[in-house]
Amino acid sequence: MIAITLVDRVGSGLWASVSVLYFTYVSGLSMAEVGTLAAVSGAVGIAGAPLGGRIADRVPLTRLLPALQLLRAVASFALLTTDHYPLLLAFSAVGSLGDRAASVLTKLYATRVAGPDRVRYQAVNRTAANAGWALGGLAAAAALALGTTAVYRWLLAGDALTFVAAALLVLTCAEPPSASRVAATSKDAPRALKPASPWRDRSYLAYVATETVLSLDDTVFKVGLPLWIAHSDDVPHGLAPLLLVLNNVMVVALQVPLARFGTTTETARRLLIPLAAAFALGGLAMAFSATGGTATAICLVTASAVAFTLAEMLHATVSWELSVALAPETAQGAYLGVHGLAQSTQRGIGPIAVTAAIATGPLGWTAFGATIALTCGIQHRLVRDRLRRIALSVAPVTVSEH
C-alpha cells in the first residue's frame, strides 16, 4: 500500500500543479468559472469520505479501492474530451468524490493491516505521499517550461494513468481482516455486534468538529503563507515556494520519528498539549513578522512555517490514533468516513478563515493560532471523557475463588 500511495500522489502532484493553468489556458475558463469549478467539486467531494467508509464496512477494500481509482482515472480522462463548462464541472466533481473516498479507504486499509502499529504505518505512508507530491510537482514544473497546451494535456493524462496503475497494484494486495464487514454481513451476528452509526454518536461528532479546526494547518501552507508573503512589503515573494519545500522536507524527515510519541491512545491524547503550543507559536510568529524589517520578517515567517509544519506532523500522529481508537471495531469504515469530513470541510472553510486572519493583520494571526490552540484543549477533554465512558461500559470481570 505504501507503493500505491507513492504512485497515486505522483499523479496528484502532476495535476495539482497545473489544474488552474489547464482550465485557464486549455479549456478557456474565466477566473470566476475556475473558482466555481473548484468550489463545486470540493463540495461534492465532501460526500466521498462518509460514503466510501460506509460501503467499506460491507465490501472488501481490495475490490472497492480499485473501483474508486478507476473512477478517478475515467474522470481525469473525461476532462480531456471537452471544454464544455457543465461537463468539466461534472467530471471534476466525480473525480473529487473518488479522491476523498479513496483517501479514507487507504487509511482504513492501514488501520486493518497494521493493527497496533497503525500510527507508524500511517507515518511511513504519509512520508511516501509527500515524496510523491514532490516528484509530481517537480515533473510538472519541468514540463511547464515548454508552456504548450499539449504539455498540459499530457500532464493530465499522466495523472489519470497513475490512478490506473494504483488500481492494478491494489489488486495484488491481500484483503486485511475486518470485524466491521463480518458484523455487517452476518445474519447470525448478535445484536450488540451490529455496526453502530457515527451519525448518532454525539461525542464522536463533536470530536470530528474539533478535527475540522485542527486541520487548518493544511490551508496555512496552501493559502495563508503565500498570500501573506504576496501582500508583504518586507518579505521577498521567492520565499513562498522555499517554505513549501521546507515543509515537505521536514515531513519526509521527521514524520516517522515523531510517530513513536503517539503509538497509544493516551500518549496521542497527551500530544494535544504540545500541538496547542505549536499552533499558538505559529500564529504569534506570523503576527510579529509584520512589525520588523526585512531580515526580521523573513526569520519570523520561516519560524512560523516551522511551527505550523511541526503542528501538521503532531496533528497527523494524534489524528491517526484517536480517530480509530474512538471508533467501535464493528463500524470502523463508517466512523473513519465521518472523520474524513473534517479534512473535506476545512478545505471549504480554511481559505475563508486564513483570508480573514490576513485581512485583520497581526491581531488576526494571533487569534487564528490561539483559536486552534484552544480547540486542542477542547479535544483533549472530549477524548478524556469519551475514554472514561468506554472504560465504564466494559463489564467488570469477576474471578471466583475456589
Side-chain angles (χ1 to χ4, degrees):
M1 192 57 70
I2 304 299
I4 294 167
T5 297
L6 179 65
V7 171
D8 184 315
R9 292 308 167 186
V10 166
S12 297
L14 286 173
W15 178 236
S17 304
V18 302
S19 58
V20 172
L21 298 175
Y22 177 90
F23 288 126
T24 301
Y25 297 116
V26 178
S27 299
L29 303 185
S30 67
M31 184 181 298
E33 287 175 326
V34 173
T36 302
L37 185 146
V40 171
S41 61
V44 172
I46 290 176
L51 182 62
R54 192 70 178 178
I55 297 174
D57 283 332
R58 293 167 170 79
V59 178
L61 284 177
T62 51
R63 296 296 176 267
L64 184 57
L65 260 175
L68 287 171
Q69 295 288 16
L70 290 177
L71 177 68
R72 297 169 72 192
V74 169
S76 294
F77 279 127
L79 290 173
L80 291 167
T81 66
T82 183
D83 292 330
H84 193 49
Y85 187 62
L87 289 177
L88 291 174
L89 202 64
F91 296 149
S92 295
V94 170
S96 179
L97 187 76
D99 175 70
R100 298 314 306 156
S103 177
V104 167
L105 297 191
T106 300
K107 178 179 179 180
L108 181 59
Y109 185 96
T111 298
R112 291 175 178 175
V113 77
D117 292 328
R118 57 180 173 260
V119 172
R120 179 174 174 78
Y121 185 101
Q122 286 280 21
V124 175
N125 197 59
R126 190 164 188 265
T127 300
N130 275 268
W133 271 98
L135 289 172
L138 288 172
L144 287 177
L146 298 176
T148 65
T149 57
V151 167
Y152 290 115
R153 294 183 183 278
W154 277 111
L155 288 172
L156 178 52
D159 179 38
L161 288 173
T162 61
F163 299 146
V164 175
L168 295 174
L169 287 172
V170 174
L171 292 175
T172 67
C173 295
E175 179 68 23
S178 168
S180 58
R181 193 158 61 88
V182 171
T185 56
S186 176
K187 295 180 179 178
D188 300 324
R191 183 177 180 84
L193 292 179
K194 292 297 183 182
S197 171
W199 300 106
R200 299 190 187 98
D201 192 333
R202 288 181 292 179
S203 66
Y204 195 85
L205 291 175
Y207 162 71
V208 172
T210 60
E211 281 287 272
T212 303
V213 179
L214 268 56
S215 299
L216 289 174
D217 58 79
D218 181 64
T219 308
V220 169
F221 282 95
K222 290 182 178 178
V223 179
L225 282 169
L227 202 57
W228 180 257
I229 291 172
H231 288 81
S232 173
D233 295 328
D234 297 318
V235 181
H237 294 180
L239 183 64
L242 294 179
L243 293 181
L244 291 176
V245 172
L246 174 65
N247 169 263
N248 222 356
V249 170
M250 285 184 64
V251 171
V252 171
L254 300 176
Q255 186 69 77
V256 173
L258 282 175
R260 71 176 185 271
F261 296 109
T263 53
T264 68
T265 305
E266 185 54 36
T267 55
R269 186 175 72 89
R270 287 200 294 265
L271 277 182
L272 286 165
I273 304 304
L275 175 59
F279 276 123
L281 288 173
L284 284 172
M286 286 295 287
F288 283 113
S289 70
T291 62
T294 298
T296 301
I298 291 174
C299 290
L300 287 172
V301 169
T302 303
S304 177
V306 170
F308 279 121
T309 300
L310 179 61
E312 174 188 339
M313 292 185 290
L314 289 175
H315 177 238
T317 299
V318 172
S319 180
W320 293 332
E321 172 59 26
L322 295 183
S323 61
V324 176
L326 301 182
E329 286 189 2
T330 55
Q332 281 184 341
Y335 271 72
L336 290 181
V338 170
H339 180 264
L341 286 174
Q343 185 63 34
S344 301
T345 303
Q346 79 82 25
R347 289 186 176 187
I349 68 172
I352 298 174
V354 169
T355 303
I358 292 172
T360 313
L363 183 61
W365 276 114
T366 303
F368 179 84
T371 299
I372 306 179
L374 177 62
T375 306
C376 290
I378 295 172
Q379 185 177 114
H380 188 275
R381 181 165 183 171
L382 279 173
V383 172
R384 181 196 64 189
D385 293 345
R386 183 177 175 91
L387 291 175
R388 283 178 178 175
R389 285 195 297 272
I390 292 174
L392 291 173
S393 68
V394 177
V397 177
T398 303
V399 180
S400 58
E401 297 180 2
H402 296 283

